[in-house]
Amino acid sequence: MKDLIKNLQLGLLVVILISTVIAVFLEISSMYQLRDITLADLLLMFLYLEVLAMVRVFWEQQSISITLPLLIAITALSRFIILQGKEMDPSSLMYEAGAILLIAIAIVVMRFRHSSKLGLNKKK
């Protein structure tokens, strides 16, 4: 059963990898056809890059650090804010910016939770 689950994980990982690579090429093709590159396009490319990094880390370590999905969430929220443009409700902008801040704080807490600088026990 354990081997079956591991093989399913690796199979799904390959599907995610292939899908992400296809999405990158489609995005590059779209930018080329439109002859326009926007900040939203660049942030989308960063999302793809972070997904590829997460695939690589999972392939090498057979586990995913919680930090990578949090970084992807920050990039996705940033892209969402940019795509909404100037017609966005200011209160929505504050909520989304607050979500980015909370995720960033979570990343800092996760990174320093075993830090000797804070006087906490080191990770064993």
Side-chain angles (χ1 to χ4, degrees), residues 16-61:
I16 292 169
L17 176 65
I18 292 170
S19 300
T20 306
V21 169
I22 290 170
V24 167
F25 283 117
L26 289 174
E27 182 64 22
I28 291 171
S29 172
S30 173
M31 288 187 298
Y32 179 76
Q33 289 173 355
L34 295 174
R35 303 238 191 276
D36 185 36
I37 301 172
T38 64
L39 184 56
D41 295 328
L42 296 176
L43 288 173
L44 183 59
M45 296 294 279
F46 269 111
L47 284 170
Y48 293 142
L49 184 64
E50 290 171 356
V51 169
L52 290 173
M54 197 164 44
V55 167
R56 181 187 53 82
V57 167
F58 185 81
W59 192 271
E60 291 173 355
Q61 299 176 2

Side-chain angles (χ1 to χ4, degrees), residues 2 8 14 30 32 35 51 74 84-87 94 115:
K2 195 175 187 180
L8 286 173
V14 169
S30 173
Y32 179 76
R35 303 238 191 276
V51 169
I74 287 175
Q84 288 182 349
K86 294 178 183 176
E87 62 274 355
M94 292 303 296
S115 173

